Amino acid sequence: MSSCVFPGSFDPVTRGHMDLIQRASKMFDRVTVTVMVNVNKRGALRPEERVALLEKACAHLPNVRVDRWDGLLADYMKKNGENCVLRGVRGEAEYSAERLAAATNRMLYPGMETMLMFCSETLHGISSSAVREIAAFGGDISSFVPGEIAKEIMERLSNKG
């Protein structure tokens, strides 16, 4: 069975994330979307909220499951017997960062491979940080996040202010 792990902070999940998840679900028998806690970022949404939103957004994809991990990605991969990580790339800066992260992860877990997938051109400008900023000013985030959870994301982000 082919599988991959798509890790990220998903704070919040965006249409860009969902594009990658949907495309990966066609390539792999199983895709595990894993909410990671980034110690360098203070999250706008609690990890439990991110998991719940992702579960709703991915409900139509039968081979996608959502998980959470508070440690190193390499440790998650080892613990779950996974070896393929999917990472999205929007530009050169992300490519360089992902290349370094892949090298670090392979040092921690030699069996781990990283697959980079370029985002769809129409979604290139979407980021979780942009969604948070637009929401903070009461802007319309509906074209940036999955439609079925847009209202819920807006409510949760507006309650943070």
Side-chain angles (χ1 to χ4, degrees):
M1 173 185 277
S2 65
S3 64
C4 75
V5 172
F6 181 41
S9 57
F10 305 105
D11 189 27
V13 59
T14 67
R15 287 184 187 256
H17 294 131
M18 289 307 301
D19 175 62
L20 294 174
I21 293 166
Q22 289 168 347
R23 289 165 51 203
S25 75
K26 294 174 185 169
M27 298 170 58
F28 293 92
D29 297 322
R30 184 182 68 232
V31 176
T32 303
V33 180
T34 306
V35 173
M36 306 290 289
V37 175
N38 184 335
V39 296
N40 296 316
K41 291 183 182 177
R42 183 184 175 277
L45 300 172
R46 294 186 330 270
E48 303 80 35
E49 291 176 297
R50 297 178 218 167
V51 168
L53 289 166
L54 275 161
E55 286 173 340
K56 287 179 186 178
C58 295
H60 68 288
L61 300 168
N63 63 330
V64 174
R65 73 179 190 96
V66 180
D67 201 2
R68 176 184 166 187
W69 186 253
D70 292 336
L72 294 173
L73 177 58
D75 291 339
Y76 178 86
M77 301 295 286
K78 281 187 237 181
K79 178 181 180 271
N80 291 284
E82 295 283 357
N83 65 0
C84 180
V85 173
L86 172 68
R87 297 295 294 160
V89 178
R90 290 176 290 192
E92 290 178 33
E94 285 182 348
Y95 173 80
S96 294
E98 292 300 341
R99 198 175 101 201
L100 291 173
T104 301
N105 282 324
R106 282 183 60 99
M107 290 176 72
L108 295 170
Y109 179 32
M112 188 170 160
E113 296 292 343
T114 300
M115 183 175 110
L116 301 180
M117 185 180 287
F118 293 97
C119 72
S120 296
E121 293 79 17
T122 57
L123 303 172
H124 191 268
I126 296 177
S127 69
S128 293
S129 56
V131 170
R132 290 191 305 271
E133 184 173 351
I134 293 166
F137 288 100
D140 181 9
I141 62 168
S142 61
S143 61
F144 294 85
V145 299
E148 63 273 17
I149 58 172
K151 182 178 179 191
E152 190 173 352
I153 289 174
M154 188 63 184
E155 287 170 357
R156 289 176 187 225
L157 290 176
S158 66
N159 289 338
K160 304 295 179 186

